Amino acid sequence: MKFELDEADRKILSILRKNSRASLKEIAQEVYLSSPAVSARIARLEKAGYIEEYVAILSPPKLGYLIKAFINLEVSPVQRAEFYQYIRNEPNVVECNCVTGDYSMLIEVFFPSTEELDIFVGELQRFGRTRTQIVFSTSVEHRQVQVPDRPVDVTAAKKRM
């Protein structure tokens, strides 16, 4: 399903980006539509893939995960399938990206202690060399992308990539 976002759609996405628990009534008041119209638009945005999911953002330190780290890993192409199967099942991994550069993977993890992080890094080394960076502080937490204030030509953007 393809459609172009109008100003009301973009405003709805912006509101939900900031507070996914905003009520239909609150959203309707901000976009000057009825609650049923907002509900229909949200359903359409979900169906079209603009809204992938609704999540609660949890506090890792409050849950005992005091160590945040980024691990670079060099994985050979022949090991990728095995690596992907392994990494998807690791509960301390919050994100894993295939990247360019000296290392092929960038992995974000949370652990309760450096000892547990060290054990995990040791396990990863069966796939290749690693480089680990422990985070001291985070000035900008992971956040959702901004909703563009105007229509974006996705086809033209893909051609530039």
Side-chain angles (χ1 to χ4, degrees):
M1 170 184 214
K2 184 179 178 192
F3 65 91
E4 196 165 303
L5 297 175
D6 64 15
E7 189 167 332
D9 292 326
R10 288 191 294 275
K11 181 72 173 172
I12 290 168
L13 289 173
S14 292
I15 293 166
L16 291 173
R17 175 185 173 266
K18 292 175 188 162
N19 178 10
S20 64
R21 295 183 67 187
S23 71
L24 291 175
K25 182 179 177 182
E26 292 169 329
I27 298 169
Q29 288 173 341
E30 290 214 33
V31 297
Y32 306 106
L33 294 171
S34 68
S35 292
V38 168
S39 179
R41 282 177 177 259
I42 290 172
R44 187 182 70 182
L45 291 164
E46 291 170 345
K47 187 174 181 182
Y50 287 95
I51 300 171
E52 293 181 353
E53 63 183 308
Y54 299 90
V55 299
I57 308 297
L58 306 179
S59 169
K62 290 209 182 265
L63 295 169
Y65 298 101
L66 305 176
I67 307 299
K68 177 180 181 178
F70 291 93
I71 304 166
N72 289 289
L73 172 66
E74 184 178 39
V75 177
S76 69
V78 296
Q79 288 185 295
R80 283 216 175 133
E82 179 187 354
F83 168 75
Y84 286 146
Q85 184 176 354
Y86 168 80
I87 205 72
R88 285 185 185 114
N89 293 314
E90 286 300 314
N92 296 81
V93 173
V94 295
E95 190 166 1
C96 179
N97 299 283
C98 183
V99 296
T100 63
D102 293 338
Y103 295 87
S104 54
M105 299 294 161
L106 177 61
I107 307 163
E108 182 180 357
V109 297
F110 283 92
F111 281 92
S113 68
T114 54
E115 290 83 9
E116 291 171 86
L117 171 61
D118 185 41
I119 292 167
F120 178 71
V121 170
E123 292 171 4
L124 278 180
Q125 289 174 342
R126 75 176 198 231
F127 296 103
R129 70 184 175 106
T130 62
R131 186 182 77 196
T132 303
Q133 297 170 299
I134 295 176
V135 175
F136 288 142
S137 65
T138 302
S139 58
V140 177
E141 285 291 344
H142 181 80
R143 57 185 173 202
Q144 296 299 314
V145 296
Q146 291 285 334
V147 178
D149 56 358
R150 65 193 181 311
V152 176
D153 185 350
V154 177
T155 307
K158 283 184 180 178
K159 286 179 183 176
R160 288 192 299 266
M161 293 172 83

